Amino acid sequence: MSKTEHSFTDMGLKAPILKALIDLGYEKPSPIQTICIPHLLAGHDVLGMAQTGSGKTAAFSLPLLHNINAELSAPQVLVLAPTRELAVQVSEACTDFAKYIKGLNVVALYGGQRYDIQFRALKKGQHFIVGTPGRLLDHLKRGTLDLSNLIGLVLDEADEMLRMGFIEDVENILAQIPAQHQTALFSATMPEAIRRITRRFMNKPKEVCIRSNITTTPDIKQSYWIVYGMRKNEALVRFLETEDFDAAIIFVRTKSATLEVAQTLEQNGYNSAALNGDMNQTLREQTLDRLKDGRLDILIATDVAARGLDVDRVSLVINYDIPMDSESYIHRIGRTGRAGRTGRALLFVEKYERRLLRNIERIMKLTIQEVDLPTSDMLSARRLERFSEKVRIHLQSNDLNMYHALLSKLQLEENLDITMLAAVLLKIAQGERPLILPSNPILGHRSRRALHVQDNTCQEKNERSLRRERCNISEMDLYRIEVGRNDGIEVRHIVGAIANEGNMSGCYIGNIKLFASHSTIELSKEISGKTLSHFTRMRILNKPMNLQFLGKVQSHNNRQTTTNSRVHYGNEKNEGNSRHFSGHRKNTMSMPINRRRFNSNA
């Protein structure tokens, strides 16, 4: 007897939801979706044990979106997620599922985002709320979130919330919602603390257990790089230059990213093209044909656009953006290693995405190797190797006598050494990619385990000092910016914003110190006044920097001091794990930036 095939249409979902699923390329439900969706549509509570990557986001969001009354402008579904990254991911997925439901709004509430943005969103009327426990509890205490009309509650990755210490916050939130509501809880494991929540807050839940059948092939060599010390697009070019590949696919998370990465690669001389959901079928087929027959070497694609893609000559897959689930990762790297060939898969991992990396390793039951960013010496050696290969090929040419005769016709100095002439021609022939690269600062290797135990701020501070010394930049000025740890700011956010907006090397950025409500940063005196003026209007995590000049940094006996006649540091007080100078006023507008530094001629 053949196994019954299920479809989303058979489940009775609303037509607007089915239309959105077709646009997103969903063909048939996954096992967890097949079981959970009917239970939730019927009004039952659901207790699901499933690994990340099983498709549980659609399993709970589709039926709950189906049950929402869009005409009632009030929160009706609440999803609790352990991290802001997962909260954003779930909210984006729900927004895609609900795009044809007229008047239905989805919002993500998480720490690090400005409150005024979230206040405005809640006042407009949101039907589907996705948030982290701490920020949701804060809104409940403020009275800005009303859950009196709630009909559906989801606890996503409950074991992760337990591990992160959020269970008490979760229980406080659950105690404030209406008694009559539907609950879905999903967890990869089921420790006793989670079981206690199910007994206390769930009503005879239907238990669903999905065993992972994800497998991988040993023919694909996998590795990852922790994004650190260089922007991802610059690092991508370095990795591509040091890799041997016939064709490559680079996976990104958004449609806009496919165009941005394609532009970067084109500027660096790579034959690449974007593939995303906005392309019509004809253009899509033409692009794939170019990849298959060798007219195209690199394809930048989203998961949806790359479904069903099968090209034998693809030997390298780069996950420019880490996928949110393990199944997507398996599907991505499965695009290489075809037809009995060996493949290579590289994964870029942001520091805050290590949880997703651990999920992938756990489900695949393997340890993915960490790799370092290719250095300038490696790039120089690689370019010289390729150039040498070109020379060897041309040595076999039959028309070299013609060019040999041209040597005597060149109007050069007499008795010119032939090796000197060869060096000159070599310099001319190198083109836009120099064979000799400057020893630019590449940050040293940092294992992900070391990241857990080292003080990140001190580590990055020391490495920035080293970069400054290598770049021969000694004179620095100290500035204050009005973002700190309470805003969810990390050192990497500040470095990335300054480097990107100023379009400058990290050499010009000195030590950075994070405090609760503000931070201090050292910037080179060589930065123009126009650039500094631009920084005053810049935002980090959507909060204004308000860059304020504090003084000049001087070095005496390897100890740095700051001098400024208008700034005096008072008694030092402890503030968290950093040092706080009570001499700073909260209203830093009383300390304007030195006008001389912002002269238009600077």
Side-chain angles (χ1 to χ4, degrees):
M1 186 175 179
S2 61
K3 190 175 181 179
T4 304
E5 289 287 335
H6 297 276
S7 70
F8 289 106
T9 305
D10 298 334
M11 294 178 177
L13 293 169
K14 291 179 179 178
I17 296 178
L18 295 174
K19 184 179 179 182
L21 291 175
I22 293 174
D23 287 354
L24 294 170
Y26 282 74
E27 297 175 354
K28 60 181 182 179
S30 68
I32 194 170
Q33 293 162 5
T34 300
I35 301 174
C36 288
I37 292 177
H39 284 325
L40 290 172
L41 286 175
H44 299 297
D45 286 3
V46 170
L47 174 59
M49 285 187 61
Q51 298 284 353
T52 300
S54 58
K56 65 179 183 299
T57 299
F60 64 73
S61 60
L62 295 179
L64 293 178
L65 286 169
H66 174 93
N67 294 335
I68 285 179
N69 177 13
E71 295 180 358
L72 175 61
S73 184
Q76 298 173 51
V77 174
L78 176 65
V79 179
L80 273 67
T83 66
R84 59 186 176 187
E85 291 77 31
L86 182 59
V88 171
Q89 180 227 338
V90 172
S91 67
E92 289 176 347
C94 293
T95 300
D96 290 338
F97 296 146
K99 65 180 180 179
Y100 292 119
I101 303 178
K102 187 176 180 181
L104 195 148
N105 298 321
V106 180
V107 68
L109 304 176
Y110 52 88
Q113 188 183 48
R114 286 168 46 191
Y115 276 99
D116 60 323
I117 296 175
Q118 297 179 359
F119 292 156
R120 287 196 296 269
L122 290 171
K123 285 182 179 179
K124 289 165 65 175
Q126 302 293 331
H127 303 87
F128 201 111
I129 310 288
V130 186
T132 53
R135 182 54 64 97
L136 289 172
L137 195 59
D138 196 21
H139 277 289
L140 288 172
K141 291 178 180 178
R142 291 169 179 260
T144 51
L145 178 60
D146 179 13
L147 300 180
S148 59
N149 292 286
L150 201 71
I151 60 172
L153 171 71
V154 179
L155 277 69
D156 195 8
E157 298 198 8
D159 54 346
E160 188 71 11
M161 284 191 274
L162 172 64
R163 187 189 67 81
M164 297 176 68
F166 290 146
I167 287 300
E168 185 177 348
D169 288 345
V170 170
E171 291 181 343
N172 289 334
I173 294 172
L174 296 182
Q176 300 184 49
I177 62 178
Q180 297 299 321
H181 71 275
Q182 189 176 14
T183 302
L185 185 149
F186 294 91
S187 183
T189 59
M190 201 60 62
E192 179 54 32
I194 303 299
R195 284 287 182 186
R196 177 164 51 85
I197 288 181
T198 64
R199 291 192 294 267
R200 181 180 174 188
F201 295 102
M202 300 185 74
N203 180 27
K204 298 179 181 179
K206 301 289 185 179
E207 294 198 18
V208 178
C209 183
I210 301 297
R211 300 295 181 185
S212 174
N213 58 356
I214 292 179
T215 58
T216 185
T217 169
D219 293 333
I220 302 176
K221 182 180 178 182
Q222 303 172 56
S223 59
Y224 73 92
W225 170 63
I226 292 290
V227 179
Y228 182 76
M230 179 172 286
R231 288 177 289 182
K232 287 167 70 172
N233 57 351
E234 297 172 355
L236 175 64
V237 174
R238 283 177 175 261
F239 277 110
L240 286 174
E241 192 165 347
T242 54
E243 290 282 348
D244 286 315
F245 63 90
D246 188 11
I249 300 178
I250 300 171
F251 282 98
V252 296
R253 197 168 291 152
T254 63
K255 298 174 184 178
S256 59
T258 62
L259 303 177
E260 294 168 3
V261 174
Q263 182 180 12
T264 296
L265 296 184
E266 289 290 345
Q267 291 172 348
N268 284 272
Y270 288 100
N271 185 14
S272 62
L275 185 71
N276 58 54
D278 289 340
M279 300 171 62
N280 59 46
Q281 187 63 26
T282 301
L283 184 57
R284 172 188 165 87
E285 291 176 356
Q286 291 175 350
T287 303
L288 293 179
D289 288 341
R290 290 169 56 202
L291 184 67
K292 291 178 181 178
D293 61 24
R295 289 176 292 154
L296 185 67
D297 296 326
I298 302 175
L299 189 69
I300 305 96
T302 58
D303 286 314
V304 173
R307 292 190 181 186
L309 192 153
D310 186 1
V311 180
D312 288 344
R313 64 185 290 261
V314 173
S315 58
L316 173 66
V317 167
I318 296 181
N319 290 274
Y320 186 85
D321 295 318
I322 188 171
M324 291 299 181
D325 57 77
S326 304
E327 187 175 358
S328 295
Y329 176 79
I330 297 298
H331 289 166
R332 287 181 178 188
I333 68 173
R335 305 302 174 190
T336 185
R338 300 268 178 159
R341 302 180 183 182
T342 58
R344 173 91 168 84
L346 176 63
L347 175 65
F348 286 3
V349 182
E350 298 277 2
K351 186 173 65 175
Y352 61 84
E353 295 172 332
R354 290 195 301 272
R355 177 183 62 87
L356 298 174
L357 173 64
R358 289 196 299 270
N359 284 338
I360 292 172
E361 290 182 322
R362 183 175 65 250
I363 291 177
M364 295 178 63
K365 297 180 181 179
L366 57 80
T367 300
I368 301 177
Q369 179 186 4
E370 183 179 4
V371 294
D372 293 329
L373 186 68
T375 64
S376 297
D377 291 340
M378 294 171 61
L379 294 180
S380 297
R382 185 68 168 172
R383 293 178 185 182
L384 186 59
E385 177 186 343
R386 291 177 176 174
F387 192 88
S388 300
E389 181 61 27
K390 287 184 179 180
V391 172
R392 283 192 288 270
I393 293 174
H394 284 290
L395 282 174
Q396 308 301 320
S397 301
N398 298 323
D399 57 352
L400 289 180
N401 290 333
M402 298 170 52
Y403 294 93
H404 193 275
L406 287 178
L407 289 175
S408 60
K409 299 180 181 180
L410 292 175
Q411 298 179 1
L412 302 172
E413 299 177 4
E414 295 183 3
N415 301 322
L416 177 65
D417 182 53
I418 192 65
T419 58
M420 183 60 70
L421 175 59
V424 172
L425 295 177
L426 186 61
K427 181 179 180 181
I428 295 173
Q430 69 182 347
E432 296 182 358
R433 287 182 177 267
L435 298 174
I436 303 174
L437 293 174
S439 183
N440 61 325
I442 296 299
L443 302 182
H445 171 83
R446 298 180 73 204
S447 70
R448 58 183 165 137
R449 291 171 178 83
L451 283 168
H452 289 293
V453 298
Q454 292 181 353
D455 182 87
N456 294 330
T457 303
C458 293
Q459 177 77 8
E460 293 173 354
K461 177 184 70 176
N462 294 335
E463 287 167 339
R464 278 191 298 278
S465 298
L466 180 60
R467 288 203 306 268
R468 196 177 65 220
E469 292 172 4
R470 288 177 178 173
C471 296
N472 197 27
I473 296 176
S474 57
E475 294 189 359
M476 310 288 284
D477 282 337
L478 183 68
Y479 295 85
R480 172 181 170 128
I481 56 179
E482 298 305 315
V483 290
R485 285 197 302 270
N486 291 347
D487 303 301
I489 295 295
E490 298 177 12
V491 170
R492 64 185 178 88
H493 295 137
I494 299 174
V495 174
I498 295 289
N500 290 334
E501 291 290 332
N503 192 25
M504 61 187 184
S505 167
C507 301
Y508 295 91
I509 303 174
N511 297 334
I512 296 175
K513 295 182 180 180
L514 296 181
F515 300 93
S517 60
H518 73 282
S519 304
T520 60
I521 181 171
E522 296 174 5
L523 297 175
S524 169
K525 286 182 175 291
E526 298 180 14
I527 299 176
S528 69
K530 182 179 180 181
T531 300
L532 289 171
S533 182
H534 175 64
F535 289 159
T536 63
R537 303 185 298 272
M538 197 170 67
R539 290 175 174 267
I540 301 179
L541 294 187
N542 214 17
K543 182 170 182 181
M545 275 180 52
N546 292 332
L547 188 75
Q548 302 289 328
F549 176 69
L550 294 182
K552 177 181 178 182
V553 178
Q554 294 180 337
S555 180
H556 297 296
N557 298 325
N558 296 325
R559 295 182 61 187
Q560 290 183 337
T561 60
T562 304
T563 61
N564 188 299
S565 59
R566 292 171 298 159
V567 181
H568 302 281
Y569 296 124
N571 297 326
E572 296 181 4
K573 298 180 180 179
N574 288 330
E575 182 177 348
N577 296 321
S578 62
R579 307 288 289 180
H580 175 64
F581 299 98
S582 60
H584 289 314
R585 297 181 184 178
K586 289 187 177 180
N587 183 8
T588 57
M589 294 304 292
S590 62
M591 296 187 297
I593 299 177
N594 190 326
R595 292 181 180 177
R596 177 183 61 80
R597 296 298 312 282
F598 281 83
N599 189 299
S600 59
N601 296 324

